[in-house]
Amino acid sequence: MKYAVAVDIGATNTRVALGSSEGELLEVVVFSTWEERSPEEYIARIARIAVELEKKHGVEAIGVGVGSPGPLDMKKGEVVNSPNMPFKRIEVVRLLREALGKPVAFANDAVTAAVGEKWWGMGQDKENLVYVTISTGIGGGVYVDGELLLGKEGNAHEIGHIVVDAEGRLTCGCGKRGHWEAYSSGRGVPSLARFLADTDPALRGETSLPLGPELTAKEVFDAFRRGDPLAGKVVEWVNRFNACGFANIVNAYDPELITVGGSVALNNPDVLIQGLRDRVAEYAVNRVPEITLTRLGANVGLLGALALGLGLEKKVPLV
């Protein structure tokens, strides 16, 4: 039996786990990504947790796998200018390797989740697989002909920044306009609600939604289920943009299977996933494959990081 440390860096929370070569997570520790004051303190906290987990369970990890929101510079092992993170630059690989004395494998968080799907989930028998996360942001990981796609800097799969609105009515967290993430992500849905309320006074007058900066995607979807008119319009737009985004994925990568995770999707399948395949078919040229929630749930990214830490995915080597 081999063991590895798995780290899932999220825009909201960071999860650190110890897992085995059988795909079992022995224990998971969660803390807020925004609690630490500097990148160095943040990585030091991850390292402390990793050491504590090894001591507690009486095993030694052979490596560390890390998934992080992008953009990344995989060659340098760094997060660079991420729109959803408290620190614009984090030297993940160097700092973790120095703190733990172990090799580190590092990839985009959605790519890491795709690795989890490939090794432990529904993609085990698939050569062409796409994983999509709809959470604080939107991201993806892609296998084509059994090969994990990475690109020159590890960002070949930034599907959240596909342009779905040529008019560019909303600005993404990255600073560019019209991106899928700007409309359909956990941060995008409230922005879309405020935009639609500003452009249609009638909808603003009919809604029960609090339209201030604290509005959440959950509140919008809950209001939709109650029949709120503004929330209904938001969901109509979100589903159209999701159909465009998934159709772009189908047309670009021709996958056998698309699995979907992330808190927004996992908590709202009745709104976002039900009927999605038919909506995608209106835009896609290639045959639309099965589109379904990941069976690995919220642990898909951690399980992918575990696979990386065990050295199972050769395209993301331990260094």
Side-chain angles (χ1 to χ4, degrees):
M1 184 87 70
K2 294 181 179 179
Y3 299 90
V5 172
V7 182
D8 182 14
I9 296 175
T12 302
N13 292 315
T14 295
R15 307 171 77 213
V16 184
L18 183 67
S20 75
S21 52
E22 293 185 351
E24 178 189 7
L25 297 174
L26 279 66
E27 186 175 345
V28 180
V29 177
V30 183
F31 68 91
S32 172
T33 303
W34 294 75
E35 287 180 3
E36 305 304 325
R37 294 174 295 179
S38 71
E40 291 76 17
E41 291 181 6
Y42 172 69
I43 295 297
R45 183 169 184 179
I46 292 173
R48 286 196 304 273
I49 293 170
V51 170
E52 290 166 1
L53 288 174
E54 285 182 297
K55 289 181 179 178
K56 179 176 179 180
H57 293 275
V59 300
E60 183 174 353
I62 63 171
V64 183
V66 184
S68 171
L72 311 179
D73 187 326
M74 285 188 67
K75 292 180 180 178
K76 293 182 178 180
E78 299 177 0
V79 178
V80 289
N81 200 33
S82 175
N84 297 317
M85 293 286 289
F87 312 116
K88 292 303 181 183
R89 178 172 176 263
I90 310 175
E91 295 180 273
V92 175
V93 172
R94 181 183 70 81
L95 292 173
L96 269 181
R97 195 166 53 203
E98 289 178 358
L100 294 172
K102 300 180 189 294
V104 180
F106 174 60
N108 174 277
D109 57 345
V111 170
T112 303
V115 173
E117 199 71 75
K118 177 67 173 172
W119 283 96
W120 315 112
M122 298 173 67
Q124 292 180 66
D125 62 344
K126 300 292 189 295
E127 292 291 293
N128 298 279
L129 165 73
V130 177
Y131 170 82
V132 177
T133 179
I134 305 177
S135 189
T136 304
I138 293 177
V142 182
Y143 279 89
V144 174
D145 296 336
E147 291 288 324
L148 183 65
L149 300 188
L150 294 176
K152 68 184 189 304
E153 293 170 346
N155 302 307
H157 35 68
E158 286 287 355
I159 59 173
H161 301 284
I162 290 171
V163 175
V164 295
D165 178 19
E167 294 184 30
R169 283 166 283 199
L170 292 182
T171 302
C172 185
C174 71
K176 307 297 183 180
R177 304 187 67 85
H179 291 183
W180 186 9
E181 184 173 298
Y183 300 82
S184 299
S185 67
R187 287 184 175 174
V189 169
S191 296
L192 178 58
R194 287 187 288 267
F195 169 79
L196 292 175
D198 289 342
T199 56
D200 190 334
L203 283 176
R204 176 180 283 275
E206 295 173 348
T207 189
S208 61
L209 286 170
L211 294 172
E214 302 304 316
L215 178 66
T216 66
K218 180 182 185 303
E219 289 174 310
V220 174
F221 292 133
D222 287 346
F224 166 75
R225 297 183 182 98
R226 296 193 304 268
D228 183 278
L230 174 60
K233 180 62 68 173
V234 172
V235 169
E236 178 186 325
W237 279 51
V238 166
N239 280 338
R240 182 168 69 250
F241 288 133
N242 282 351
C244 292
F246 278 94
N248 284 331
I249 290 169
V250 171
N251 292 339
Y253 302 121
D254 195 20
E256 301 165 68
L257 172 69
I258 299 174
T259 63
V260 187
S263 58
V264 174
L266 292 173
N267 292 329
N268 300 283
D270 57 321
V271 180
L272 302 177
I273 305 302
Q274 185 175 332
L276 175 59
R277 192 170 183 272
D278 290 337
R279 292 190 292 271
V280 173
E282 297 178 14
Y283 297 93
V285 172
N286 292 333
R287 179 181 62 83
V288 180
E290 179 183 7
I291 304 174
T292 184
L293 288 181
T294 176
R295 293 176 186 169
L296 300 178
N299 284 335
V300 62
L302 269 181
L303 287 166
L306 173 61
L308 295 183
L310 291 167
L312 300 180
E313 176 50 67
K314 302 307 180 186
K315 289 291 289 290
V316 187
L318 286 161
V319 295

